Amino acid sequence: MKLTDLSKLNTKRRDALNSFGISSVMDLLYLFPRRYIDKSNIKPIQMVTESADPVSIVGKVDSKEVQGYGHKRRLEVYVSDQTGTLKVVWFKGWKYFMSKFKEGQLVSLFGKPKRFGRSISMAHPDVEVLQSRDDIEKYNTLLPIYPSGKPLSKAYITHKMIAEWVDEALNKLDVPEFLPQAIIEQHTFKPRHEALQSIHRPESQQEASHALERFKYEELFLFELSMAKIKQMQRAKAEGPALKPGPLTSAFFKKILPFELTKGQISALSDIRSDVESQTQMNRLLQGDVGAGKTVVAIGAALMAIDSGYQATLMAPTEILAEQHFHTIKKYLEPLGINYRLLVGGQKKSLRDDVLSDIAGGTCNMVVGTHAIIQDQVQFHKLGLAIIDEQHRFGVKQRTEMLQKGDHPHLLVMSATPIPRSLAMTVYSDLDISLIKELPGGRKPVKTAVRTDKDQETIHNFMAETVADGGQIYVVYPLIEESEALDLKDATMGFEKLKRRFPDIPMGLLHGQMKSEEKESIMSSFADGKLKILVSTTVIEVGVDVPNANVMIIEHAERFGLSQLHQLRGRIGRGSRQSYCILKPGQKLSESGRYRLKKMVETTDGFEIAEADLKLRGPGDFLGTKQSGLPEFQYADIVEDRLLLEQAKSDAWKIISRDPQLKLSEHESLKKIFTPYFKQRAEYFGIG
Ligand code: ADP
Ligand code: MG
């Protein structure tokens, strides 16, 4: 059945539907009502009181007018039913609503009534224009309200039309089930066709919600099935190089490393060891809060590769971080006589050529760098292990490109973004996870406070004391890409001011637009303790490690997200000194800005902060959906529907382990839906 087979669906309307993302009857059936008008729940206007829950009202438009001047301009519409009149206000988008409403029109409103003085009014309600009262009467109880958008309204496609097309399609078509019968029964889901009917024509809100569960499950299940299959394919096909620790590894841990490993580091290393010894390609995520000590674990893993005659590589998202790793590696690996090289974008051609030939010839055992490593010209002699630091900064694609640099090299990715474990297992469900829970001993939690410009003198005195005491200070300015020049000015000006205030204290300025050598020299002078104060944009955000730095002042702190603030703060509190973080908000503080700063003062626990951030931003933004390889779910919310997600995952694994090719007859219709879905996902992961 084609869209145009539906009554009154001409090509013009079809085109409009197409540009709204609906290109088949099935798509139309999967366009779910955004809400329902519940006839039994419509409030007479007289009965409306202030309420935090939205209420539903149906009435006629009496009058409309624009009030006020400038930014106080607003549209006021009066709507009445037999019992009274309600004022409805739009501050934003009032021009649009001005043209949308006509006097005498019947409208349904859904919003929160609020009291102003003596009268009740409603601001920015969800609004639908109804043709007539029949629109409501006709439906048993609930009238579906569909998502709307420009293409639809332009072609005069109304809710009623959509509802009628859906009715017609559901009457003529039999939408086949594809979930296995066992799953339907186990979860008491409705069969697909019936569930669609319940979504589009529910008799009660409960009926609609119950049906929706099924569709949430459906998309989570397909996703988990594809992840299970990807993981299974990776396991089956990939024979990894056989690596094992040898003299270099043991010399490193016994003689060179200046501290004892934490429990988490030891167990992560033993996970890695059993992976790489097994001859199956490792695919492991090492998760640990900032400062947990992931780098030494990575070096330990690299040594296992080098001990076994292979090369290892470590890729970081920024040059500064790559350079820092380079210095760490120099400190640890030089005494072992290991050849290591740095590969970043800004290098001179002659140097670069030399590095490339060292890598290709195999004289270099360990390569540290940025994404320059995954470029075409780079050819490894014999890559055994690829490590990606701060992996959330990279995409799945770059992960895949990295793996193509060798013959099934082992992969270790590292991330400090702590996310709730169940979520991690889903987002990274193609990876095994090792978690470092504790920070190395002897650290004191960072003390955090919010201070304003009024406290400037106190802050300056504190800075002077810190330096006199042998400590070091970061002063951080935000960098927002759109206005890089402007923010740079902020940092530069802040730097000049501080220099005038403290002419005798050596300080440096660091920002993204500097040349590599310049950045490197400033960063290493700060690391060596020659510079006492480092004024910087957020280039220092990821991974930078200067244990002696114990104070961080964050300017315009409200402009940062919670996770980002946590990352920044993770730069201090790394040594034995007590560390302090001072958050300085700018002028205007939004509600969420205030909340973020408060949260930072309250806790230093990365997981608690991540949880709060996740709530604030939603999973898509929090995880960087595109980066993480997680699809945008249409109906499910991976945070709210966590339970359903875990069920889908365990169901999917059961099926894939029992019937990897979906050959059993009970999986026949599942296979039909899954095959094209999987093809897309697999391409994304570079498999297939
Ligand atoms: P992250 O996990 O954030 O990458 P790093 O690897 O940069 O953390 O380690 C943070 C700091 O802790 C470094 O200075 C490192 O030398 C130090 N460190 C790591 N492990 C230990 C340990 N077991 N005991 C003491 N210090 C450690
Ligand atoms: Mg790190």
Side-chain angles (χ1 to χ4, degrees):
M1 193 177 189
K2 294 198 307 282
L3 276 174
T4 44
D5 294 339
L6 294 165
S7 331
K8 292 189 231 161
L9 211 166
N10 55 25
T11 52
K12 191 175 145 218
R13 289 181 176 146
R14 180 202 58 201
D15 293 346
L17 287 171
N18 282 173
S19 50
F20 197 60
I22 297 167
S23 43
S24 67
V25 174
M26 218 48 197
D27 289 347
L28 188 69
L29 290 177
Y30 269 74
L31 178 74
F32 291 177
R34 138 178 131 245
R35 66 180 178 94
Y36 305 90
I37 300 179
D38 187 346
K39 198 176 62 179
S40 62
N41 226 348
I42 294 172
K43 273 224 155 126
I45 289 178
Q46 203 185 19
M47 305 284 288
V48 173
T49 51
E50 183 162 54
S51 124
D53 296 319
V55 301
S56 199
I57 283 162
V58 172
K60 274 207 163 66
V61 175
D62 279 347
S63 64
K64 52 172 186 179
E65 57 187 331
V66 176
Q67 294 276 0
Y69 295 98
H71 66 278
K72 287 207 167 149
R73 219 141 193 228
R74 62 194 185 269
L75 172 68
E76 298 186 354
V77 178
Y78 287 85
V79 173
S80 63
D81 63 8
Q82 280 105 337
T83 69
T85 304
L86 181 79
K87 180 159 100 177
V88 189
V89 188
W90 276 270
F91 298 95
K92 282 184 211 141
W94 59 267
K95 272 189 190 146
Y96 168 76
F97 287 101
M98 183 73 186
S99 63
K100 180 171 175 126
F101 291 117
K102 297 193 179 53
E103 279 152 27
Q105 216 167 30
L106 191 68
V107 292
S108 129
L109 304 170
F110 185 69
K112 293 177 193 168
K114 215 172 147 76
R115 173 171 293 284
F116 286 101
R118 279 213 209 127
S119 62
I120 295 274
S121 63
M122 199 184 258
H124 296 175
D126 195 357
V127 44
E128 298 314 321
V129 175
L130 304 173
Q131 307 303 321
S132 72
R133 280 224 162 245
D134 290 353
D135 271 8
I136 302 174
E137 302 298 336
K138 213 180 97 188
Y139 292 95
N140 289 347
T141 36
L142 300 183
L143 171 67
I145 299 298
Y146 288 96
S148 48
K150 245 202 182 132
L152 301 188
S153 57
K154 259 188 166 166
Y156 301 104
I157 295 176
T158 62
H159 298 290
K160 204 171 146 199
M161 260 181 224
I162 296 179
E164 282 170 5
W165 289 330
V166 168
D167 271 347
E168 190 183 340
L170 285 176
N171 284 334
K172 288 190 182 155
L173 279 179
D174 187 21
V175 183
E177 184 54 77
F178 70 85
L179 290 178
Q181 194 54 33
I183 286 181
I184 301 261
E185 277 164 23
Q186 185 200 335
H187 298 283
T188 60
F189 288 141
K190 280 195 181 169
R192 197 156 166 236
H193 190 95
E194 239 179 89
L196 282 170
Q197 256 156 347
S198 292
I199 281 284
H200 292 284
R201 292 288 161 274
E203 298 206 355
S204 67
Q205 196 68 52
Q206 288 87 322
E207 184 186 342
S209 318
H210 178 236
L212 187 61
E213 284 287 290
R214 185 223 136 92
F215 293 104
K216 288 179 175 180
Y217 178 89
E218 214 179 271
E219 60 180 347
L220 294 171
F221 174 72
L222 284 174
F223 168 68
E224 289 297 350
L225 201 63
S226 70
M227 293 308 273
K229 177 133 179 126
I230 286 171
K231 189 153 179 174
Q232 212 199 31
M233 283 165 73
Q234 282 169 342
R235 277 189 191 158
K237 102 177 162 198
E239 223 176 84
L243 310 180
K244 63 170 198 281
L248 295 170
T249 316
S250 76
F252 170 66
F253 285 116
K254 294 211 179 98
K255 297 200 190 111
I256 294 185
L257 197 65
F259 43 71
E260 298 274 307
L261 293 174
T262 64
K263 269 203 205 113
Q265 287 171 321
I266 292 172
S267 94
L269 276 162
S270 104
D271 289 345
I272 291 168
R273 178 175 178 172
S274 66
D275 283 355
V276 300
E277 280 181 345
S278 76
Q279 299 198 17
T280 326
Q281 191 178 24
M282 172 168 75
N283 230 326
R284 184 168 289 280
L285 166 68
L286 176 59
Q287 226 199 345
D289 206 350
V290 276
K294 296 182 287 294
T295 316
V296 290
V297 175
I299 293 177
L303 285 166
M304 293 180 205
I306 299 168
D307 258 331
S308 315
Y310 284 87
Q311 291 170 302
T313 183
L314 169 57
M315 177 165 78
T318 66
E319 260 177 50
I320 291 191
L321 191 52
E323 260 143 29
Q324 181 189 295
H325 281 321
F326 184 69
H327 286 295
T328 309
I329 279 161
K330 180 175 185 167
K331 186 170 77 187
Y332 289 144
L333 301 196
E334 203 160 63
L336 296 171
I338 289 169
N339 273 318
Y340 54 90
R341 308 265 356 211
L342 176 72
L343 186 65
V344 294
Q347 287 166 322
K348 284 207 194 82
K349 188 169 181 308
S350 54
L351 174 61
R352 184 186 168 78
D353 288 346
D354 191 42
V355 173
L356 288 181
S357 82
D358 254 11
I359 300 174
T363 40
C364 158
N365 310 108
M366 172 90 200
V367 186
V368 186
T370 55
H371 54 268
I373 296 176
I374 50 178
Q375 276 158 9
D376 286 345
Q377 308 94 304
V378 183
Q379 279 193 326
F380 282 86
H381 175 65
K382 203 178 168 194
L383 183 64
L385 170 71
I387 307 167
I388 303 181
D389 193 15
E390 308 287 347
Q391 75 98 28
H392 56 282
R393 292 289 189 103
F394 295 98
V396 178
K397 189 163 157 273
Q398 282 146 321
R399 223 203 267 170
T400 310
E401 282 167 357
M402 185 62 141
L403 290 178
Q404 280 155 2
K405 291 289 172 195
D407 182 19
H408 299 122
H410 296 287
L411 177 71
L412 178 66
V413 302
M414 309 199 286
S415 181
T417 307
I419 59 179
R421 192 165 168 78
S422 64
L423 194 56
M425 284 165 57
T426 311
V427 180
Y428 304 120
S429 52
D430 62 320
L431 300 169
D432 298 308
I433 302 179
S434 298
L435 184 66
I436 306 182
K437 280 204 193 103
E438 72 280 72
L439 298 181
R443 297 211 187 141
K444 303 189 181 92
V446 177
K447 291 188 178 159
T448 304
V450 177
R451 294 287 180 266
T452 61
D453 275 338
K454 270 188 260 147
D455 311 308
Q456 197 55 52
E457 201 41 43
T458 326
I459 296 175
H460 280 159
N461 291 338
F462 181 62
M463 290 173 82
E465 276 166 36
T466 302
V467 172
D469 222 27
Q472 285 171 281
I473 305 171
Y474 291 106
V475 181
V476 186
Y477 285 85
L479 186 81
I480 296 170
E481 269 156 46
E482 305 94 74
S483 62
E484 204 163 334
L486 205 83
D487 288 312
L488 198 53
K489 208 175 104 202
D490 268 3
T492 317
M493 269 168 47
F495 174 68
E496 296 298 337
K497 247 197 210 153
L498 276 178
K499 245 176 46 182
R500 261 177 272 131
R501 178 70 173 72
F502 299 115
D504 300 330
I505 299 182
M507 57 181 83
L509 173 68
L510 190 72
H511 59 76
Q513 291 178 357
M514 289 171 146
K515 287 218 186 74
S516 310
E517 297 106 70
E518 217 178 337
K519 274 193 270 191
E520 193 188 354
S521 104
I522 289 187
M523 205 54 229
S524 64
S525 313
F526 187 68
D528 294 345
K530 283 187 211 112
L531 296 176
K532 299 299 177 188
I533 300 177
L534 183 67
V535 179
S536 160
T537 57
T538 43
V539 286
I540 62 146
E541 179 192 340
V542 284
V544 170
D545 182 39
V546 181
N548 191 53
N550 68 325
V551 171
M552 174 173 284
I553 299 168
I554 305 182
E555 301 281 350
H556 297 294
E558 82 286 357
R559 289 208 219 155
F560 296 93
L562 256 181
S563 295
Q564 208 185 1
L565 285 171
H566 180 67
Q567 279 270 340
L568 278 170
R569 185 171 58 182
R571 304 302 116 223
I572 54 172
R574 295 180 159 234
S576 50
R577 285 171 198 279
Q578 174 62 52
S579 292
Y580 300 90
C581 177
I582 299 172
L583 303 172
K584 282 184 68 194
Q587 303 296 322
K588 281 177 248 139
L589 254 185
S590 66
E591 200 178 315
S592 109
R594 190 163 299 133
Y595 174 79
R596 273 175 276 148
L597 300 190
K598 182 171 149 260
K599 199 83 214 168
M600 286 298 291
V601 173
E602 271 170 18
T603 182
T604 52
D605 179 342
F607 281 90
E608 197 181 325
I609 287 175
E611 194 92 40
D613 200 23
L614 183 60
K615 277 199 197 112
L616 276 180
R617 287 156 61 193
D621 193 30
F622 175 82
L623 297 165
T625 302
K626 289 205 189 78
Q627 295 280 309
S628 67
L630 199 66
E632 295 262 11
F633 293 111
Q634 226 182 324
Y635 312 115
D637 176 317
I638 52 172
V639 179
E640 268 169 28
D641 302 316
R642 235 181 259 180
L643 225 63
L644 205 57
L645 181 63
E646 299 215 1
Q647 287 168 352
K649 180 173 182 177
S650 101
D651 293 345
W653 269 101
K654 273 184 215 144
I655 290 180
I656 287 293
S657 344
R658 192 161 64 92
D659 182 16
Q661 305 299 332
L662 302 179
K663 278 188 180 139
L664 297 175
S665 64
E666 61 194 276
H667 298 146
E668 198 184 318
S669 31
L670 174 59
K671 189 174 183 170
K672 262 192 211 136
I673 300 272
F674 182 66
T675 305
Y677 179 92
F678 183 71
K679 191 160 174 277
Q680 227 180 356
R681 299 284 306 158
E683 260 166 32
Y684 187 74
F685 276 82
I687 298 170

